[in-house]
Amino acid sequence: MAILEVKNIHKSFGRTEVLKDVSFSLEKGDVISIIGSSGSGKTTLLRCLNFLERPDKGIIRVNDETIFDAEDKKTQLESQIRMKRLHFGLVFQSFNLFPQYTALQNVMLAKELLAKEQPDYKARKKEIHNEIKEQAIMLLKQMGLENRMNNYPHQLSGGQCQRVAIARALALEPDILCFDEPTSALDPELTGEVLKVIKELADKKTTMIIVTHEMAFAKEVSDQVVFMDGGIVLEQGSPSEVFDNPKEERTKQFLKGYHNTIQP
């Protein structure tokens, strides 16, 4: 059974149709890389999955539960959106860390805010705080940041900030971890740091959706590759199918510029 089913998603901004009948599915433990030129709708698709944008049409199902149906208003209640968002952990292109908080505090923040809504929070406040802190420390160690936990974002490199952002996304234990071009703001050396972390997550069978321009990386870590163009899924398949034997002429044109970078 697919952990995620995206069916016939449409999204327009004014008269511009950004997503046109987008459909795909994702199995638990698999990685989908979404590739395509700028403006093809990749980021908008991730924002729709995270309810940062609301699709105009279509259905989103997670673990066989319909969490959004454009024709069913009961699935669109604002009061439910925050909990539905917890299915997805989103790592932004530009980190989006809170500058007034340390790396450790950034990772702890969302879980602490959610914990305050638990009926036993006041009685167990110290215990809950310590549990959240222990988990955050473990995640930052996993990211290789054990010596940077008390640093603020301005004291960290771009690669370190992105690793804090990954730890923050993992802290809420989402069903699916989503990356929106996580290395596009980084220089080549720092890009390698972040890709190494994502590769380790893939090796641990973390379910992921990765929007990326790193073609060699996408070919290496993906179970499926989706090529988007003009707001539609033009081609999808295994990495060898899409990268080595693309069927669509537009896919061939797009990959031509990356041909040398995706060879073994």
Side-chain angles (χ1 to χ4, degrees):
M1 180 187 299
I3 193 172
L4 172 68
E5 296 175 89
V6 176
K7 296 183 177 181
N8 311 116
I9 294 294
H10 293 249
K11 178 63 183 176
S12 295
F13 295 101
R15 296 182 179 180
T16 304
E17 194 174 12
V18 179
L19 298 176
K20 308 170 187 177
D21 201 29
V22 172
S23 299
F24 65 91
S25 63
L26 175 62
E27 299 293 323
K28 183 175 176 61
D30 280 359
V31 176
I32 281 184
S33 288
I34 302 179
I35 62 173
S37 58
S38 298
S40 59
K42 307 183 300 297
T43 292
T44 299
L45 175 59
L46 283 193
R47 290 179 65 84
C48 284
L49 293 179
N50 284 271
F51 297 101
L52 298 174
E53 304 288 351
R54 182 171 296 185
D56 301 319
K57 300 178 185 178
I59 296 172
I60 301 170
R61 296 176 63 82
V62 177
N63 291 321
D64 209 30
E65 174 192 356
T66 299
I67 65 170
F68 178 85
D69 183 342
E71 297 185 359
D72 183 355
K73 290 186 178 180
K74 288 185 291 186
T75 68
Q76 302 174 42
L77 298 174
E78 287 293 334
S79 59
Q80 298 176 0
I81 293 299
R82 185 172 63 169
M83 295 308 295
K84 291 179 179 182
R85 203 173 271 153
L86 294 178
H87 289 295
F88 302 91
L90 180 58
V91 179
F92 296 90
Q93 177 178 333
S94 54
F95 328 134
N96 285 23
L97 299 179
F98 291 99
Q100 70 272 34
Y101 296 134
T102 65
L104 182 61
Q105 291 169 332
N106 265 281
V107 176
M108 293 175 63
L109 181 61
K111 202 156 190 177
E112 288 201 310
L113 291 173
L114 286 172
K116 290 179 180 179
E117 299 178 6
Q118 297 177 13
D120 62 345
Y121 176 73
K122 288 185 178 179
R124 298 182 56 237
K125 182 177 179 179
K126 186 174 182 180
E127 179 186 352
I128 290 172
H129 173 81
N130 288 338
E131 288 174 355
I132 293 171
K133 184 175 181 180
E134 184 178 337
Q135 182 211 28
I137 290 172
M138 179 193 70
L139 287 169
L140 286 169
K141 285 182 177 179
Q142 184 181 334
M143 298 296 125
L145 296 170
E146 57 269 30
N147 297 321
R148 294 289 193 169
M149 295 185 189
N150 296 316
N151 288 123
Y152 291 88
H154 74 273
Q155 297 172 311
L156 301 173
S157 70
Q160 290 167 339
C161 284
Q162 195 61 293
R163 282 183 276 156
V164 174
I166 295 171
R168 179 180 61 182
L170 288 168
L172 293 175
E173 301 174 38
D175 293 297
I176 302 160
L177 191 57
C178 302
F179 293 87
D180 184 13
E181 299 187 17
T183 61
S184 63
L186 306 177
D187 64 36
E189 182 178 358
L190 299 180
T191 291
E193 291 180 12
V194 174
L195 294 182
K196 180 176 180 290
V197 169
I198 300 174
K199 176 64 166 58
E200 289 170 352
L201 291 171
D203 290 341
K204 293 176 181 177
K205 303 304 288 183
T206 305
T207 310
M208 294 187 284
I209 300 173
I210 306 172
V211 170
T212 183
H213 288 292
E214 299 287 341
M215 298 297 110
F217 181 74
K219 186 176 183 181
E220 179 184 5
V221 304
S222 304
D223 297 284
Q224 283 190 70
V225 177
V226 170
F227 173 67
M228 292 186 65
D229 186 62
I232 67 172
V233 173
L234 192 63
E235 190 160 356
Q236 63 185 72
S238 68
S240 61
E241 288 172 334
V242 175
F243 286 117
D244 299 333
N245 298 291
K247 297 175 182 175
E248 299 291 333
E249 190 59 36
R250 179 67 186 97
T251 315
K252 295 175 184 177
Q253 292 173 0
F254 175 79
L255 290 174
K256 189 175 181 180
Y258 297 97
H259 181 74
N260 292 330
T261 68
I262 63 174
Q263 297 305 307

